[in-house]
Amino acid sequence: MIVEPGRDGMRGGGQGGVELVYRPTRADILTGVLVRERLRRLHLVRWGFVALFAAGALLTLTLTAPRASATSAALAVLCAVLIWSMPRFQAHHALRTVSWQGEYRTSVSESGLTAETAHVSLLQRWSVFRGYRETRDHLVLLSRDPNVLLVEVLPLRGLRVPEDAERLRALVGERLPRL
């Protein structure tokens, strides 16, 4: 959906709206990935596999001949590290996908969120989201679909003044439940 600036009343934080201006970072995207993973309880699966491969490496080293077990143990440790790193790989890939768009101007108002870059304008109504989670430096909005394919990360560093953080929390909290 294309939104022309100023036509929908969401531009610039008027009428109780809040505007964020920021460049997405790997930390922003990683926060969104980790919050999504926790909501879907995938972190338990990921840590289970990490523990399984780490235990396999330990058992291989302790129960078999040292020379034969070194390669198997190294591969098991490598698998554990790769599984642990999956959210970081996802964040890196997502950053490569969006970073070329440059600075984001995101307006949050009663109608929803409008994100604008030099190349794209996107309007997301509140009905798209099921709820939100707050981290120390971000508000993460999660989509309504079963797989939570859409994650909107609002970095608090993008606010003009620190007092806008309370207004943003109030605006989001009125429309979405905390998950």
Side-chain angles (χ1 to χ4, degrees):
M1 175 179 291
I2 297 175
V3 178
E4 293 180 24
R7 271 188 67 189
D8 62 351
M10 292 181 61
R11 184 81 177 151
Q15 286 187 302
V18 179
E19 185 173 74
L20 297 94
V21 179
Y22 59 93
R23 281 185 173 275
T25 64
R26 186 172 285 110
D28 296 337
I29 296 171
L30 181 60
T31 298
V33 170
L34 292 174
V35 166
R36 175 184 180 264
E37 187 179 78
R38 278 204 175 271
L39 180 73
R40 296 183 63 205
R41 292 182 175 60
L42 293 175
H43 67 291
L44 300 173
V45 174
R46 183 168 53 92
W47 282 109
F49 276 110
V50 167
L52 181 71
F53 278 102
L58 269 171
L59 287 173
T60 302
L61 285 173
T62 58
L63 298 178
T64 60
R67 179 156 238 192
S69 66
T71 304
S72 296
L75 286 174
V77 168
L78 178 65
C79 285
V81 169
L82 288 175
I83 291 168
W84 175 82
S85 301
M86 287 307 295
R88 284 131 191 99
F89 291 141
Q90 290 173 329
H92 177 74
H93 179 71
L95 182 64
R96 286 184 54 201
T97 303
V98 300
S99 64
W100 67 271
Q101 294 184 36
E103 185 176 82
Y104 278 67
R105 299 180 82 72
T106 301
S107 298
V108 181
S109 74
E110 284 103 23
S111 318
L113 282 73
T114 300
E116 295 183 22
T117 70
H119 307 282
V120 174
S121 292
L122 173 67
L123 170 63
Q124 300 170 85
R125 303 259 182 236
W126 290 111
S127 59
V128 169
F129 302 105
R130 76 169 64 181
Y132 75 99
R133 287 207 178 161
E134 185 173 355
T135 67
R136 186 181 61 146
D137 300 321
H138 302 87
L139 279 179
V140 181
L141 284 64
L142 301 144
S143 68
R144 197 172 282 288
D145 65 281
N147 292 320
V148 191
L149 296 175
L150 173 69
V151 176
E152 184 72 38
V153 179
L154 302 174
L156 299 178
R157 73 173 186 285
L159 296 168
R160 292 182 187 177
V161 292
E163 294 80 32
D164 282 348
E166 287 306 316
R167 287 184 35 225
L168 178 62
R169 284 183 192 100
L171 194 57
V172 172
E174 287 174 12
R175 285 152 186 82
L176 298 174
R178 183 183 289 259
L179 301 175

mmCIF file of all heavy atoms in Angstrom, residues 113-149:
data_model
loop_
_atom_site.group_PDB
_atom_site.id
_atom_site.type_symbol
_atom_site.label_atom_id
_atom_site.label_comp_id
_atom_site.label_asym_id
_atom_site.label_seq_id
_atom_site.Cartn_x
_atom_site.Cartn_y
_atom_site.Cartn_z
ATOM 1 N N LEU A 113 0.915 2.516 12.119
ATOM 2 C CA LEU A 113 2.305 2.905 11.908
ATOM 3 C C LEU A 113 2.527 3.217 10.441
ATOM 4 O O LEU A 113 2.066 2.478 9.576
ATOM 5 C CB LEU A 113 3.249 1.754 12.270
ATOM 6 C CG LEU A 113 3.532 1.504 13.730
ATOM 7 C CD1 LEU A 113 2.360 0.886 14.414
ATOM 8 C CD2 LEU A 113 4.740 0.639 13.855
ATOM 9 N N THR A 114 3.245 4.284 10.173
ATOM 10 C CA THR A 114 3.658 4.602 8.820
ATOM 11 C C THR A 114 5.170 4.675 8.820
ATOM 12 O O THR A 114 5.757 5.477 9.544
ATOM 13 C CB THR A 114 3.093 5.962 8.347
ATOM 14 O OG1 THR A 114 1.673 5.904 8.387
ATOM 15 C CG2 THR A 114 3.550 6.277 6.941
ATOM 16 N N ALA A 115 5.786 3.824 8.031
ATOM 17 C CA ALA A 115 7.240 3.824 7.900
ATOM 18 C C ALA A 115 7.583 4.349 6.512
ATOM 19 O O ALA A 115 7.030 3.892 5.521
ATOM 20 C CB ALA A 115 7.794 2.420 8.087
ATOM 21 N N GLU A 116 8.488 5.324 6.479
ATOM 22 C CA GLU A 116 8.886 5.915 5.201
ATOM 23 C C GLU A 116 10.391 5.927 5.091
ATOM 24 O O GLU A 116 11.097 6.220 6.058
ATOM 25 C CB GLU A 116 8.367 7.343 5.096
ATOM 26 C CG GLU A 116 6.873 7.450 5.050
ATOM 27 C CD GLU A 116 6.414 8.892 4.874
ATOM 28 O OE1 GLU A 116 7.209 9.718 4.378
ATOM 29 O OE2 GLU A 116 5.286 9.176 5.246
ATOM 30 N N THR A 117 10.872 5.598 3.895
ATOM 31 C CA THR A 117 12.277 5.766 3.560
ATOM 32 C C THR A 117 12.311 6.560 2.260
ATOM 33 O O THR A 117 11.273 6.971 1.753
ATOM 34 C CB THR A 117 12.986 4.407 3.353
ATOM 35 O OG1 THR A 117 12.503 3.803 2.146
ATOM 36 C CG2 THR A 117 12.769 3.479 4.529
ATOM 37 N N ALA A 118 13.498 6.734 1.715
ATOM 38 C CA ALA A 118 13.609 7.428 0.433
ATOM 39 C C ALA A 118 12.953 6.638 -0.699
ATOM 40 O O ALA A 118 12.624 7.192 -1.741
ATOM 41 C CB ALA A 118 15.072 7.684 0.109
ATOM 42 N N HIS A 119 12.721 5.343 -0.485
ATOM 43 C CA HIS A 119 12.229 4.477 -1.554
ATOM 44 C C HIS A 119 10.846 3.885 -1.317
ATOM 45 O O HIS A 119 10.200 3.450 -2.258
ATOM 46 C CB HIS A 119 13.208 3.307 -1.746
ATOM 47 C CG HIS A 119 14.614 3.760 -1.939
ATOM 48 N ND1 HIS A 119 15.085 4.253 -3.123
ATOM 49 C CD2 HIS A 119 15.646 3.813 -1.079
ATOM 50 C CE1 HIS A 119 16.349 4.582 -2.993
ATOM 51 N NE2 HIS A 119 16.718 4.336 -1.758
ATOM 52 N N VAL A 120 10.395 3.839 -0.063
ATOM 53 C CA VAL A 120 9.181 3.101 0.272
ATOM 54 C C VAL A 120 8.369 3.849 1.309
ATOM 55 O O VAL A 120 8.928 4.473 2.205
ATOM 56 C CB VAL A 120 9.561 1.705 0.846
ATOM 57 C CG1 VAL A 120 8.343 0.966 1.343
ATOM 58 C CG2 VAL A 120 10.291 0.881 -0.180
ATOM 59 N N SER A 121 7.050 3.733 1.211
ATOM 60 C CA SER A 121 6.133 4.159 2.265
ATOM 61 C C SER A 121 5.232 2.981 2.575
ATOM 62 O O SER A 121 4.705 2.343 1.673
ATOM 63 C CB SER A 121 5.272 5.338 1.816
ATOM 64 O OG SER A 121 6.055 6.481 1.648
ATOM 65 N N LEU A 122 5.056 2.702 3.863
ATOM 66 C CA LEU A 122 4.258 1.556 4.267
ATOM 67 C C LEU A 122 3.365 1.951 5.434
ATOM 68 O O LEU A 122 3.845 2.470 6.437
ATOM 69 C CB LEU A 122 5.170 0.399 4.694
ATOM 70 C CG LEU A 122 4.491 -0.820 5.310
ATOM 71 C CD1 LEU A 122 3.637 -1.536 4.266
ATOM 72 C CD2 LEU A 122 5.532 -1.758 5.897
ATOM 73 N N LEU A 123 2.069 1.704 5.297
ATOM 74 C CA LEU A 123 1.104 1.938 6.366
ATOM 75 C C LEU A 123 0.687 0.587 6.925
ATOM 76 O O LEU A 123 0.295 -0.306 6.183
ATOM 77 C CB LEU A 123 -0.130 2.675 5.834
ATOM 78 C CG LEU A 123 -1.328 2.774 6.778
ATOM 79 C CD1 LEU A 123 -0.966 3.562 8.021
ATOM 80 C CD2 LEU A 123 -2.510 3.369 6.066
ATOM 81 N N GLN A 124 0.787 0.438 8.238
ATOM 82 C CA GLN A 124 0.354 -0.787 8.914
ATOM 83 C C GLN A 124 -0.684 -0.399 9.962
ATOM 84 O O GLN A 124 -0.366 0.342 10.886
ATOM 85 C CB GLN A 124 1.539 -1.472 9.597
ATOM 86 C CG GLN A 124 2.622 -1.865 8.613
ATOM 87 C CD GLN A 124 3.863 -2.321 9.338
ATOM 88 O OE1 GLN A 124 3.950 -3.484 9.714
ATOM 89 N NE2 GLN A 124 4.794 -1.412 9.565
ATOM 90 N N ARG A 125 -1.886 -0.872 9.801
ATOM 91 C CA ARG A 125 -2.949 -0.598 10.764
ATOM 92 C C ARG A 125 -2.714 -1.432 12.029
ATOM 93 O O ARG A 125 -2.039 -2.450 11.992
ATOM 94 C CB ARG A 125 -4.304 -0.948 10.163
ATOM 95 C CG ARG A 125 -4.594 -0.215 8.871
ATOM 96 C CD ARG A 125 -5.500 0.944 9.115
ATOM 97 N NE ARG A 125 -5.793 1.603 7.851
ATOM 98 C CZ ARG A 125 -5.573 2.875 7.636
ATOM 99 N NH1 ARG A 125 -5.072 3.628 8.594
ATOM 100 N NH2 ARG A 125 -5.848 3.419 6.484
ATOM 101 N N TRP A 126 -3.298 -1.017 13.118
ATOM 102 C CA TRP A 126 -3.133 -1.734 14.378
ATOM 103 C C TRP A 126 -3.655 -3.156 14.292
ATOM 104 O O TRP A 126 -3.190 -4.049 14.999
ATOM 105 C CB TRP A 126 -3.826 -0.983 15.514
ATOM 106 C CG TRP A 126 -3.136 0.297 15.863
ATOM 107 C CD1 TRP A 126 -3.601 1.566 15.649
ATOM 108 C CD2 TRP A 126 -1.846 0.446 16.473
ATOM 109 N NE1 TRP A 126 -2.678 2.489 16.088
ATOM 110 C CE2 TRP A 126 -1.586 1.817 16.602
ATOM 111 C CE3 TRP A 126 -0.880 -0.457 16.910
ATOM 112 C CZ2 TRP A 126 -0.422 2.318 17.160
ATOM 113 C CZ3 TRP A 126 0.285 0.037 17.467
ATOM 114 C CH2 TRP A 126 0.504 1.409 17.588
ATOM 115 N N SER A 127 -4.626 -3.396 13.424
ATOM 116 C CA SER A 127 -5.223 -4.730 13.306
ATOM 117 C C SER A 127 -4.236 -5.779 12.785
ATOM 118 O O SER A 127 -4.488 -6.972 12.908
ATOM 119 C CB SER A 127 -6.454 -4.676 12.398
ATOM 120 O OG SER A 127 -6.087 -4.204 11.119
ATOM 121 N N VAL A 128 -3.112 -5.355 12.232
ATOM 122 C CA VAL A 128 -2.096 -6.287 11.740
ATOM 123 C C VAL A 128 -1.385 -6.975 12.905
ATOM 124 O O VAL A 128 -0.916 -8.103 12.782
ATOM 125 C CB VAL A 128 -1.063 -5.532 10.868
ATOM 126 C CG1 VAL A 128 0.145 -6.385 10.553
ATOM 127 C CG2 VAL A 128 -1.706 -5.041 9.602
ATOM 128 N N PHE A 129 -1.324 -6.322 14.056
ATOM 129 C CA PHE A 129 -0.513 -6.790 15.169
ATOM 130 C C PHE A 129 -1.346 -7.495 16.237
ATOM 131 O O PHE A 129 -2.473 -7.117 16.512
ATOM 132 C CB PHE A 129 0.230 -5.611 15.807
ATOM 133 C CG PHE A 129 1.112 -4.889 14.836
ATOM 134 C CD1 PHE A 129 0.745 -3.654 14.334
ATOM 135 C CD2 PHE A 129 2.307 -5.454 14.417
ATOM 136 C CE1 PHE A 129 1.556 -2.986 13.437
ATOM 137 C CE2 PHE A 129 3.117 -4.803 13.515
ATOM 138 C CZ PHE A 129 2.753 -3.559 13.017
ATOM 139 N N ARG A 130 -0.746 -8.509 16.870
ATOM 140 C CA ARG A 130 -1.397 -9.225 17.971
ATOM 141 C C ARG A 130 -1.019 -8.636 19.311
ATOM 142 O O ARG A 130 -1.731 -8.809 20.288
ATOM 143 C CB ARG A 130 -1.048 -10.702 17.941
ATOM 144 C CG ARG A 130 0.348 -11.009 18.444
ATOM 145 C CD ARG A 130 0.620 -12.460 18.674
ATOM 146 N NE ARG A 130 0.549 -13.169 17.413
ATOM 147 C CZ ARG A 130 0.715 -14.448 17.272
ATOM 148 N NH1 ARG A 130 0.987 -15.185 18.301
ATOM 149 N NH2 ARG A 130 0.637 -15.015 16.102
ATOM 150 N N GLY A 131 0.141 -8.012 19.399
ATOM 151 C CA GLY A 131 0.596 -7.464 20.662
ATOM 152 C C GLY A 131 2.024 -6.966 20.550
ATOM 153 O O GLY A 131 2.583 -6.893 19.456
ATOM 154 N N TYR A 132 2.594 -6.632 21.699
ATOM 155 C CA TYR A 132 3.954 -6.095 21.690
ATOM 156 C C TYR A 132 4.716 -6.574 22.913
ATOM 157 O O TYR A 132 4.127 -7.023 23.904
ATOM 158 C CB TYR A 132 3.932 -4.562 21.659
ATOM 159 C CG TYR A 132 3.574 -3.919 22.974
ATOM 160 C CD1 TYR A 132 4.565 -3.419 23.815
ATOM 161 C CD2 TYR A 132 2.263 -3.820 23.398
ATOM 162 C CE1 TYR A 132 4.247 -2.834 25.030
ATOM 163 C CE2 TYR A 132 1.926 -3.243 24.598
ATOM 164 C CZ TYR A 132 2.923 -2.747 25.418
ATOM 165 O OH TYR A 132 2.607 -2.183 26.615
ATOM 166 N N ARG A 133 6.014 -6.497 22.800
ATOM 167 C CA ARG A 133 6.914 -6.733 23.924
ATOM 168 C C ARG A 133 7.885 -5.575 23.981
ATOM 169 O O ARG A 133 8.271 -5.034 22.949
ATOM 170 C CB ARG A 133 7.694 -8.037 23.762
ATOM 171 C CG ARG A 133 6.823 -9.241 23.985
ATOM 172 C CD ARG A 133 7.592 -10.408 24.472
ATOM 173 N NE ARG A 133 6.665 -11.502 24.712
ATOM 174 C CZ ARG A 133 7.024 -12.751 24.799
ATOM 175 N NH1 ARG A 133 8.291 -13.085 24.683
ATOM 176 N NH2 ARG A 133 6.129 -13.679 25.015
ATOM 177 N N GLU A 134 8.264 -5.238 25.190
ATOM 178 C CA GLU A 134 9.208 -4.142 25.367
ATOM 179 C C GLU A 134 10.524 -4.700 25.889
ATOM 180 O O GLU A 134 10.543 -5.528 26.795
ATOM 181 C CB GLU A 134 8.645 -3.125 26.346
ATOM 182 C CG GLU A 134 9.519 -1.909 26.488
ATOM 183 C CD GLU A 134 8.896 -0.824 27.330
ATOM 184 O OE1 GLU A 134 7.728 -0.969 27.743
ATOM 185 O OE2 GLU A 134 9.594 0.171 27.588
ATOM 186 N N THR A 135 11.610 -4.265 25.287
ATOM 187 C CA THR A 135 12.939 -4.571 25.787
ATOM 188 C C THR A 135 13.524 -3.275 26.325
ATOM 189 O O THR A 135 12.867 -2.232 26.291
ATOM 190 C CB THR A 135 13.852 -5.158 24.691
ATOM 191 O OG1 THR A 135 14.113 -4.162 23.708
ATOM 192 C CG2 THR A 135 13.203 -6.373 24.033
ATOM 193 N N ARG A 136 14.743 -3.320 26.754
ATOM 194 C CA ARG A 136 15.356 -2.122 27.334
ATOM 195 C C ARG A 136 15.404 -0.966 26.335
ATOM 196 O O ARG A 136 15.146 0.175 26.695
ATOM 197 C CB ARG A 136 16.764 -2.462 27.812
ATOM 198 C CG ARG A 136 17.439 -1.344 28.566
ATOM 199 C CD ARG A 136 18.801 -1.777 28.963
ATOM 200 N NE ARG A 136 19.550 -2.063 27.741
ATOM 201 C CZ ARG A 136 20.843 -1.846 27.596
ATOM 202 N NH1 ARG A 136 21.538 -1.405 28.599
ATOM 203 N NH2 ARG A 136 21.435 -2.102 26.464
ATOM 204 N N ASP A 137 15.709 -1.262 25.073
ATOM 205 C CA ASP A 137 15.912 -0.213 24.077
ATOM 206 C C ASP A 137 14.930 -0.244 22.915
ATOM 207 O O ASP A 137 15.094 0.525 21.964
ATOM 208 C CB ASP A 137 17.333 -0.324 23.503
ATOM 209 C CG ASP A 137 18.396 -0.169 24.570
ATOM 210 O OD1 ASP A 137 18.210 0.673 25.466
ATOM 211 O OD2 ASP A 137 19.409 -0.890 24.508
ATOM 212 N N HIS A 138 13.942 -1.131 22.944
ATOM 213 C CA HIS A 138 13.054 -1.300 21.797
ATOM 214 C C HIS A 138 11.626 -1.613 22.228
ATOM 215 O O HIS A 138 11.417 -2.195 23.285
ATOM 216 C CB HIS A 138 13.524 -2.470 20.920
ATOM 217 C CG HIS A 138 14.906 -2.329 20.411
ATOM 218 N ND1 HIS A 138 15.997 -2.756 21.131
ATOM 219 C CD2 HIS A 138 15.393 -1.809 19.264
ATOM 220 C CE1 HIS A 138 17.099 -2.510 20.438
ATOM 221 N NE2 HIS A 138 16.759 -1.933 19.305
ATOM 222 N N LEU A 139 10.683 -1.264 21.358
ATOM 223 C CA LEU A 139 9.328 -1.805 21.414
ATOM 224 C C LEU A 139 9.215 -2.705 20.188
ATOM 225 O O LEU A 139 9.511 -2.275 19.070
ATOM 226 C CB LEU A 139 8.273 -0.714 21.329
ATOM 227 C CG LEU A 139 7.956 0.047 22.599
ATOM 228 C CD1 LEU A 139 6.905 1.120 22.334
ATOM 229 C CD2 LEU A 139 7.481 -0.860 23.693
ATOM 230 N N VAL A 140 8.811 -3.949 20.398
ATOM 231 C CA VAL A 140 8.714 -4.912 19.297
ATOM 232 C C VAL A 140 7.252 -5.289 19.138
ATOM 233 O O VAL A 140 6.636 -5.831 20.062
ATOM 234 C CB VAL A 140 9.569 -6.164 19.584
ATOM 235 C CG1 VAL A 140 9.474 -7.142 18.422
ATOM 236 C CG2 VAL A 140 11.019 -5.783 19.843
ATOM 237 N N LEU A 141 6.689 -4.984 17.957
ATOM 238 C CA LEU A 141 5.304 -5.301 17.652
ATOM 239 C C LEU A 141 5.295 -6.581 16.825
ATOM 240 O O LEU A 141 6.086 -6.725 15.886
ATOM 241 C CB LEU A 141 4.649 -4.169 16.875
ATOM 242 C CG LEU A 141 4.271 -2.932 17.684
ATOM 243 C CD1 LEU A 141 5.470 -2.224 18.265
ATOM 244 C CD2 LEU A 141 3.478 -1.980 16.838
ATOM 245 N N LEU A 142 4.401 -7.508 17.180
ATOM 246 C CA LEU A 142 4.373 -8.833 16.565
ATOM 247 C C LEU A 142 3.063 -9.042 15.824
ATOM 248 O O LEU A 142 1.988 -8.721 16.342
ATOM 249 C CB LEU A 142 4.560 -9.893 17.644
ATOM 250 C CG LEU A 142 5.883 -9.713 18.388
ATOM 251 C CD1 LEU A 142 5.736 -10.052 19.847
ATOM 252 C CD2 LEU A 142 6.960 -10.509 17.724
ATOM 253 N N SER A 143 3.161 -9.609 14.637
ATOM 254 C CA SER A 143 1.979 -9.755 13.792
ATOM 255 C C SER A 143 1.034 -10.825 14.295
ATOM 256 O O SER A 143 1.371 -11.660 15.123
ATOM 257 C CB SER A 143 2.387 -10.063 12.352
ATOM 258 O OG SER A 143 2.959 -11.344 12.266
ATOM 259 N N ARG A 144 -0.157 -10.786 13.755
ATOM 260 C CA ARG A 144 -1.264 -11.627 14.169
ATOM 261 C C ARG A 144 -1.185 -13.040 13.580
ATOM 262 O O ARG A 144 -1.796 -13.952 14.094
ATOM 263 C CB ARG A 144 -2.540 -10.946 13.685
ATOM 264 C CG ARG A 144 -3.793 -11.385 14.295
ATOM 265 C CD ARG A 144 -4.924 -10.479 13.853
ATOM 266 N NE ARG A 144 -4.966 -9.207 14.529
ATOM 267 C CZ ARG A 144 -5.330 -9.026 15.788
ATOM 268 N NH1 ARG A 144 -5.671 -10.047 16.514
ATOM 269 N NH2 ARG A 144 -5.363 -7.839 16.321
ATOM 270 N N ASP A 145 -0.433 -13.230 12.506
ATOM 271 C CA ASP A 145 -0.417 -14.540 11.849
ATOM 272 C C ASP A 145 0.241 -15.597 12.745
ATOM 273 O O ASP A 145 1.046 -15.275 13.613
ATOM 274 C CB ASP A 145 0.299 -14.450 10.498
ATOM 275 C CG ASP A 145 1.752 -14.105 10.654
ATOM 276 O OD1 ASP A 145 2.058 -12.922 10.862
ATOM 277 O OD2 ASP A 145 2.583 -15.018 10.570
ATOM 278 N N PRO A 146 -0.087 -16.879 12.546
ATOM 279 C CA PRO A 146 0.397 -17.942 13.436
ATOM 280 C C PRO A 146 1.925 -18.059 13.506
ATOM 281 O O PRO A 146 2.457 -18.427 14.547
ATOM 282 C CB PRO A 146 -0.202 -19.223 12.842
ATOM 283 C CG PRO A 146 -1.303 -18.780 11.960
ATOM 284 C CD PRO A 146 -0.993 -17.387 11.525
ATOM 285 N N ASN A 147 2.624 -17.757 12.437
ATOM 286 C CA ASN A 147 4.082 -17.876 12.428
ATOM 287 C C ASN A 147 4.797 -16.581 12.758
ATOM 288 O O ASN A 147 6.018 -16.526 12.715
ATOM 289 C CB ASN A 147 4.558 -18.395 11.067
ATOM 290 C CG ASN A 147 4.130 -19.815 10.837
ATOM 291 O OD1 ASN A 147 4.171 -20.636 11.744
ATOM 292 N ND2 ASN A 147 3.683 -20.107 9.639
ATOM 293 N N VAL A 148 4.061 -15.546 13.061
ATOM 294 C CA VAL A 148 4.604 -14.226 13.400
ATOM 295 C C VAL A 148 5.641 -13.815 12.341
ATOM 296 O O VAL A 148 6.810 -13.616 12.635
ATOM 297 C CB VAL A 148 5.216 -14.200 14.818
ATOM 298 C CG1 VAL A 148 5.520 -12.775 15.228
ATOM 299 C CG2 VAL A 148 4.310 -14.847 15.833
ATOM 300 N N LEU A 149 5.185 -13.736 11.101
ATOM 301 C CA LEU A 149 6.091 -13.398 10.006
ATOM 302 C C LEU A 149 6.484 -11.932 9.991
ATOM 303 O O LEU A 149 7.542 -11.574 9.500
ATOM 304 C CB LEU A 149 5.459 -13.777 8.665
ATOM 305 C CG LEU A 149 5.228 -15.273 8.472
ATOM 306 C CD1 LEU A 149 4.502 -15.530 7.167
ATOM 307 C CD2 LEU A 149 6.528 -16.036 8.531
#
